[in-house]
């Protein structure tokens, strides 16, 4: 159905065969040149599609979406102007050189050697030429932290009405998800994109999309590292808060009594402080850097909703979400759309909206993301068996926390969906999302109004590109031999289940009059990392119960525990610039300290499977994290995290980490789509 594989040097030949294979004899095959152009444009985040008249020459009125790139991109006297020609050249260059880019970026030793020489040359002679040479290798070295993987999505197996709707979403919605994401990360990113088209290299445009902005992601890297030739500084607070709003001011605001405090805490607003000191706000739907892209995105949603023959649940969701995105006055506009999203019914699934807050200042702004994919029926059956564990998990947590805990009252269980598909925006840039449990931002409605989605093709891709290579470097070979993506996926199911049990980040810790303080607000910078660590520990600790219920075998549970260790190894390598990395530092340390992870005589790490030790230790750590989350105890978690930073096993910190940091920590998905002819 859908495959993920490492990029090969046969990319161009494979693309042509793939294109020819999608068409039957009753329809003249579309030019491979045209399809490759559209494929590359999509994978650069551009809402640009070429509808050729058959002569394979780009002509005026054949480029759809041109006005969305820049007012500068146009035809003059029937020919592309200078700006448009530069864009077309960059698209062509990327199409023809993607295999070379992939191979170059993976040779990190070559990049490191060049980097040292170019840095010295720039320091000795800081000329523009030396500066650009140094910046480009810094940029390439940053890109090399991820591995490029092609992901083939065959939508032709779906009914034609569904294919038509998906085609509209891919062409007329997803590119604007990418633009909104860019503008949320830095409100100047779309301007920077114009400047990159004008002044930058083709690799800069590639890097802008795959890094999710012009800034490099690695902490403490030279600020010269950028996808933009001039290496601009990031906009303070991403434009969501006043530039001078800092952590101290943020704490004072949350602890104060501003009359519109609950609105200011909404993930869907942008805040402004007036000269009088009074706070004001505007809807994220009306934020100027996002508005043009959001208007086009809404039009695409409405168009897809009107495709005849799609399931009514999709029409309802698409129209509801479109109307919510047009609401400029409600600080919490997204509720009915989430309910209709949960109720989607069909052989495919999609998610679109403002959700995860990890990549926003103060973790208090939802970021745009989207997912579209075909339902994986085999995994759907397995996932439904795990749903019942949620009742048991909540009961066990409530027993441990005691009567002071406000137990969740599940009226129904959230559905599990398994899809093989694409991700966009926050689900693709920085680090690729493998699974999500939404909605995770207010308003929630009933506690059971949620849905869990796992992307099975992304799990396979990360396993192949990242988890197994790192495990082979650091883990016991006998346990590495037991690693497999299927059993790792069972752990991920447990992890997502755990997000839905126990005190959540929105758990109200204390109430002072009308003012409520949640765990998320009290834990501050540690909130997201703690929640991820909690889900890891409780998720694995739940697997022995799954074995008792015969949902999985003990061998599968043990292999899932080995998979957790491989994933934690990757997390530790990601470091403190990412919340998942911060959670991995704490859990790796806590598991090692308590005997859940062992160091073998050969100097390799192994999950302690003897008498189920690692499951027992995960349960112990998970209970401690539950108590911290329920009380919002910042001090306890902060001390624990600092202890973990200092006391990571010496073997990991001094020997393995330097090598792991040189390895890819995630992958770049590069998508190719197949649809039936005559859509």
């Amino acid at each position: 159905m859908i495959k993920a594989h490492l990029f090969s040097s046969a990319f161009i030949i494979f693309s042509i065969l793939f294109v020819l294979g999608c068409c039957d004899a009753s329809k003249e095959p579309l030019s491979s040149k045209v399809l490759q152009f559209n494929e590359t444009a999509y994978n650069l985040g551009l809402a640009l599609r070429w509808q050729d008249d058959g002569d394979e020459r780009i002509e005026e009125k054949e480029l759809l979406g041109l006005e969305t790139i820049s007012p500068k991109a146009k035809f003059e006297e029937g020919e592309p102007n200078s700006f448009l020609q530069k864009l077309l050249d960059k698209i062509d260059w990327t199409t023809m050189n993607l295999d070379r880019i992939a191979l170059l970026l993976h040779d990190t030793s070559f990049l490191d050697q060049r980097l040292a020489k170019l840095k010295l040359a720039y320091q000795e002679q800081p000329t523009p030429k030396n500066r650009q040479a140094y910046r480009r290798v810094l940029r390439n070295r940053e890109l090399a932290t991820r591995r490029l993987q092609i992901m083939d999505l065959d939508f032709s197996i779906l009914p034609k009405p569904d294919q038509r709707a998906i085609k509209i979403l891919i062409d007329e919605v997803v590119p604007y998800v990418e633009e909104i994401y860019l503008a949320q990360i830095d409100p100047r990113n779309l301007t920077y994109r114009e400047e990159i088209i004008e002044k930058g290299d083709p690799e800069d445009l590639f890097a802008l999309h795959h890094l999710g902005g012009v800034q490099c992601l690695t902490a403490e890297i030279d600020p010269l590292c950028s996808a933009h030739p001039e290496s601009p500084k990031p906009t303070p607070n991403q434009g969501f808060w006043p530039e001078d709003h800092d952590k101290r001011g943020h704490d004072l605001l949350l602890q104060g009594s501003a009359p519109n405090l609950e609105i200011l805490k909404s993930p869907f607003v942008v805040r402004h402080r007036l000269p009088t000191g009074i706070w004001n706000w505007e809807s994220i739907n009306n934020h100027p850097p996002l508005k043009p892209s959001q208007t086009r995105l809404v039009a695409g949603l409405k168009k897809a909703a009107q495709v005849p023959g799609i399931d009514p649940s999709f029409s309802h969701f698409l129209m509801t979400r479109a109307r919510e995105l047009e609401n400029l006055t409600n600080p919490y506009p997204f509720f009915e759309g989430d309910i209709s999203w949960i109720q989607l019914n069909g052989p495919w699934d999609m998610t679109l909206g403002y959700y995860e807050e990890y990549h926003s200042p103060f973790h208090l702004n939802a970021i745009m993301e989207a997912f579209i994919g075909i339902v994986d029926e085999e995994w759907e059956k397995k996932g439904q068996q795990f749903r019942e564990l949620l009742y048991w998990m909540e009961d066990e947590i409530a027993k441990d926390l005691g009567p002071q805990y406000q137990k969740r009252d599940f009226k129904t269980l959230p559905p599990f969906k398994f899809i093989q598909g694409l991700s966009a925006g926050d689900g693709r840039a920085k680090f690729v999302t493998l699974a999500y449990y939404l909605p995770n931002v207010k308003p929630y409605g009933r506690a059971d109004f949620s849905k869990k989605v796992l992307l099975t093709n992304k799990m396979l891709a990360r396993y192949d590109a990242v988890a197994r290579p790192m495990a082979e470097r650091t883990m016991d070979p006998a346990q590495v031999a037991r690693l497999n993506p299927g059993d790792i996926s069972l752990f991920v199911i447990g992890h997502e289940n755990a997000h839905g049990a126990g005190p959540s980040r929105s758990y109200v810790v204390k109430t002072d009059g009308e003012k409520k303080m949640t765990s998320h607000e009290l834990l501050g910078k540690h909130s997201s990392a703690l929640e991820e660590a909690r889900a890891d520990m409780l998720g694995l600790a739940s697997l022995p119960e799954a074995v008792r219920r015969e949902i999985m075998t003990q061998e599968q549970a043990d292999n899932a525990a080995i998979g957790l260790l491989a994933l934690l190894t990757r997390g530790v390598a990601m470091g403190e610039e990412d919340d998942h990395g911060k959670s991995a530092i704490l859990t790796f340390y806590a598991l090692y300290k308590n005997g859940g992870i062992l160091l073998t005589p050969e100097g390799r790490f192994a999950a302690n499977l003897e008498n189920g030790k690692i499951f027992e230790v995960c349960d112990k750590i998970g209970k401690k994290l539950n108590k911290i989350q329920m009380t919002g105890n910042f001090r306890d978690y902060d001390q624990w995290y600092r202890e973990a930073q200092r006391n990571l096993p010496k073997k990991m910190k001094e020997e393995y980490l330097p090598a792991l940091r040189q390895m890819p920590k995630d992958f770049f998905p590069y998508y190719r789509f197949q649809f039936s002819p005559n859509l």
Side-chain angles (χ1 to χ4, degrees), residues 158-159 161-166 169 300-323 337 339-352 371-375 417 419 451:
L158 296 174
D162 293 328
Q163 292 187 58
R164 293 186 186 104
I166 292 170
L169 293 169
L301 290 176
K302 291 180 178 179
K303 183 177 177 180
Q306 295 167 5
V307 172
I310 63 171
D311 188 280
S313 66
F314 283 93
S315 296
H316 180 61
F317 165 66
L318 294 169
M319 288 300 296
T320 303
R321 181 58 22 116
R323 286 194 297 269
I339 300 303
S340 62
W341 165 72
I342 293 165
Q343 297 168 345
L344 287 177
N345 181 35
W348 62 289
D349 199 77
M350 76 165 295
T351 303
L352 182 144
F371 306 86
I372 301 172
I374 301 169
V375 171
K417 303 298 291 186
I419 66 172
K451 183 162 74 174

Side-chain angles (χ1 to χ4, degrees), residues 44 139 143 202-214 226-227:
L44 290 175
R139 175 204 63 202
L143 286 171
E203 299 98 316
D204 287 332
L205 188 59
F206 177 89
L208 171 76
H209 180 63
H210 287 284
L211 294 176
V214 299
S226 175

